[in-house]
Amino acid sequence: MCFDFDELVSNYGTKTAVIVEGEKFNYDELAQYARELLKQHSFKKKYIVLIADESLLFIAQFIATHYAKRVPVVISKHDVDRIDKILLRVANQWQFITDHDNNDDDQQYNDNNYLFCGATSGTTGTPKIYQRNWQSWQRGFEICNEIYKLDEYCFLTTTSPMSTSLGMHTLLLSLYLGKAFQIFNKSSKQTSGIKTLLFTVPTYLSSGIKYELNYHNILGVVSCGGELSNQLVAKWRAQHPQIKLYELYGSSETSLVAWQLLNRGKKDGCVGQLFPDVNVSFTNNEELIVQSPYLFSGYIGDDFRNSVITDDVGTLQNNLLFIHARKSDVINHGGNKVYPSEIEKYLQKYLNEVVVFGAPNVIYGENIIVMTTTHLIDTEKLDKILANVLPAYKLPSKYISVDKIPKTDNNKISRQQILYLYEQGKIQ
């Protein structure tokens, strides 16, 4: 079963498919645009590299690549200079969509159900290219339609770039269900009076309402790509009591894992109940193992996987999934495991934005460092407060005040990136 945009066109035809800066394009028009691109470009290789951006052109290029029976490889502009390294395992099998090749090649490559290939964030090194098939997401779209009650919404939108899994998921979910996908723009307003569901990340919610987006049109928000803190949920709910707030736990590789509706707050570390047909288990180090019909199809050049061992450390309690930390973020202080979230949840009551991370130390293994956007910190007072609720080995070694918490290109917080900046002396 492959992605068939013409089937969606036959179902939705003149319905609005995409909205860009207030201009509407229906399914028929989007298909026509993609057919024009099919004629303009030379699709010779199996993998067609698309540089993602928030535009109608990119969406049409994606569809045109499927019309050509090729596999889209969606990357960000930041990955262009290292594309040879990223696609090393399929060298000589890829091209940019704008490349021209006069060699005759009418072979149809995309016969293995691939929807697209995407790049991981690459915060720990060279990005990996994951393979996503259509059947896994199509099944997940049906589940999302039911759980998030998508019949209540006319528009779907996302703050995440199209180069991310969340961005592509929102786009294709919208097209599959016959919704209108509104391309998000920080400076533009929504079409007035249209019921909208927003897919976003915690860092966007924590930044407050900085943009001119008409929030009165957004009736639901799904947060993914990092755990929401209790304090953020409480603050956001107080500001937007009329908006349904959901948390979605998953990744590019696992897709849907767990979810919860947060209209009444949340438990510490809890990311909700499992999606239907998801099974989880844990390694001896408590790393989460996921089995489900929503998994990716392995990294490019690899075989299909029937389970994914994540980098997250967690537990399952009374059918609720709890995530304590990413394995790479767990701090080893004096031989003791310290989860950054344990400390952050207390400090968030007294400081603004807070990120706790570990920095190498020859005596203790790692020191516990606190980064915050709060200046003039009363560290003595904070240490006394923490000493009443945490053992001594979990008390911070150092506090750092910054004007802004560093974030990745995808607007996420990476403790490994922060550690790198700290060791380079770029943050003190």
Side-chain angles (χ1 to χ4, degrees):
M1 183 184 297
C2 296
F3 174 66
D4 185 355
F5 187 69
D6 282 342
E7 182 179 351
L8 301 182
V9 173
S10 66
N11 291 334
Y12 306 124
T14 57
K15 290 186 66 175
T16 299
V18 180
I19 302 174
V20 187
E21 297 291 347
E23 189 174 359
K24 299 179 180 180
F25 301 88
N26 64 36
Y27 284 78
D28 286 328
E29 292 168 332
L30 186 54
Q32 182 180 354
Y33 188 11
R35 293 289 183 188
E36 291 172 358
L37 294 178
L38 180 64
K39 296 177 182 178
Q40 293 174 16
H41 296 300
S42 175
F43 296 84
K44 298 301 182 182
K45 302 293 186 179
K46 176 177 181 178
Y47 298 100
I48 307 298
V49 177
L50 310 178
I51 303 172
D53 61 14
E54 290 59 67
S55 70
L56 183 71
L57 172 61
F58 166 72
I59 297 172
Q61 287 177 335
F62 181 87
I63 297 169
T65 302
H66 275 278
Y67 281 158
K69 302 298 182 183
R70 266 54 176 184
V71 183
V73 179
V74 178
I75 65 169
S76 73
K77 62 181 180 181
H78 306 287
D79 290 329
V80 172
D81 291 339
R82 50 183 177 177
I83 189 65
D84 288 310
K85 191 173 183 179
I86 293 174
L87 293 178
L88 183 62
R89 301 193 69 175
V90 290
N92 302 318
Q93 298 181 54
W94 64 271
Q95 66 171 91
F96 286 102
I97 191 171
T98 52
D99 289 346
H100 291 282
D101 189 338
N102 294 323
N103 294 326
D104 292 332
D105 185 354
D106 294 326
Q107 183 175 348
Q108 295 184 355
Y109 288 108
N110 196 3
D111 57 357
N112 49 9
N113 193 24
Y114 285 149
L115 177 60
F116 75 102
C117 296
T120 59
S121 60
T123 54
T124 58
T126 302
K128 294 181 180 179
I129 297 294
Y130 62 88
Q131 301 170 127
R132 170 59 58 185
N133 67 56
W134 170 241
Q135 190 171 7
S136 65
W137 263 9
Q138 182 185 30
R139 188 167 179 179
F141 292 163
E142 299 289 351
I143 297 298
C144 288
N145 188 34
E146 178 182 344
I147 286 177
Y148 301 128
K149 304 184 186 307
L150 296 182
D151 288 343
E152 299 177 4
Y153 307 95
C154 300
F155 287 6
L156 299 187
T157 190
T158 180
T159 60
S160 291
M162 289 296 100
S163 58
T164 66
S165 180
L166 181 57
M168 289 299 297
H169 188 274
T170 308
L171 166 65
L172 291 164
L173 171 65
S174 181
L175 294 177
Y176 177 71
L177 296 176
K179 306 292 182 181
F181 178 74
Q182 176 156 309
I183 293 178
F184 183 83
N185 188 304
K186 296 177 181 179
S187 62
S188 65
K189 294 185 178 182
Q190 284 191 305
T191 303
S192 179
I194 305 299
K195 297 178 179 179
T196 303
L197 181 73
L198 170 70
F199 286 83
T200 189
V201 294
T203 48
Y204 178 81
L205 295 181
S206 65
S207 66
I209 304 175
K210 296 179 180 179
Y211 311 128
E212 297 178 14
L213 196 65
N214 286 333
Y215 267 73
H216 63 270
N217 289 333
I218 294 181
L219 300 184
V221 170
V222 179
S223 178
C224 181
E227 188 193 347
L228 290 168
S229 69
N230 298 40
Q231 288 75 17
L232 175 56
V233 170
K235 180 180 179 181
W236 208 88
R237 289 246 45 85
Q239 293 174 336
H240 311 286
Q242 77 283 6
I243 299 177
K244 291 181 181 178
L245 177 61
Y246 296 92
E247 183 171 30
L248 188 163
Y249 169 73
S251 69
S252 301
E253 293 88 345
T254 62
S255 194
L256 312 175
V257 178
W259 71 279
Q260 58 185 329
L261 177 62
L262 295 174
N263 284 356
R264 297 181 180 178
K266 65 173 289 184
K267 297 179 180 179
D268 286 338
C270 181
V271 293
Q273 61 184 300
L274 301 179
F275 278 92
D277 302 316
V278 172
N279 293 300
V280 300
S281 56
F282 302 89
T283 68
N284 292 335
N285 294 323
E286 296 185 323
E287 295 160 286
L288 176 68
I289 304 173
V290 179
Q291 289 182 301
S292 84
Y294 319 118
L295 298 183
F296 77 141
S297 300
Y299 297 109
I300 200 165
D302 289 344
D303 295 329
F304 173 77
R305 302 183 181 194
N306 58 14
S307 67
V308 174
I309 301 177
T310 73
D311 188 37
D312 290 336
V313 176
T315 54
L316 189 66
Q317 305 171 23
N318 298 321
N319 294 318
L320 294 176
L321 183 60
F322 288 79
I323 299 299
H324 306 306
R326 294 185 68 83
K327 181 184 176 182
S328 55
D329 292 339
V330 176
I331 301 169
N332 178 12
H333 184 71
N336 299 292
K337 286 184 179 180
V338 179
Y339 300 134
S341 59
E342 292 182 279
I343 304 170
E344 289 170 350
K345 71 178 181 181
Y346 293 111
L347 292 177
Q348 286 165 347
K349 299 176 183 178
Y350 307 97
L351 302 174
N352 295 326
E353 288 186 278
V354 177
V355 177
V356 174
F357 65 98
N361 179 271
V362 293
I363 298 176
Y364 295 105
E366 288 182 287
N367 277 336
I368 301 170
I369 312 296
V370 176
M371 175 185 289
T372 177
T373 54
T374 299
H375 295 275
L376 301 176
I377 306 169
D378 189 340
T379 57
E380 185 176 343
K381 177 182 178 182
L382 288 177
D383 285 343
K384 288 181 179 179
I385 292 171
L386 292 178
N388 289 327
V389 291
L390 294 173
Y393 69 84
K394 293 184 180 182
L395 298 182
S397 308
K398 184 178 181 180
Y399 291 83
I400 300 172
S401 293
V402 295
D403 293 327
K404 185 178 181 181
I405 300 292
K407 296 183 177 69
T408 68
D409 295 330
N410 295 336
N411 204 29
K412 295 182 180 180
I413 291 173
S414 167
R415 289 181 176 82
Q416 292 190 36
Q417 181 188 67
I418 290 173
L419 173 60
Y420 173 79
L421 295 174
Y422 176 76
E423 291 182 320
Q424 294 293 310
K426 296 180 180 180
I427 51 177
Q428 297 291 335

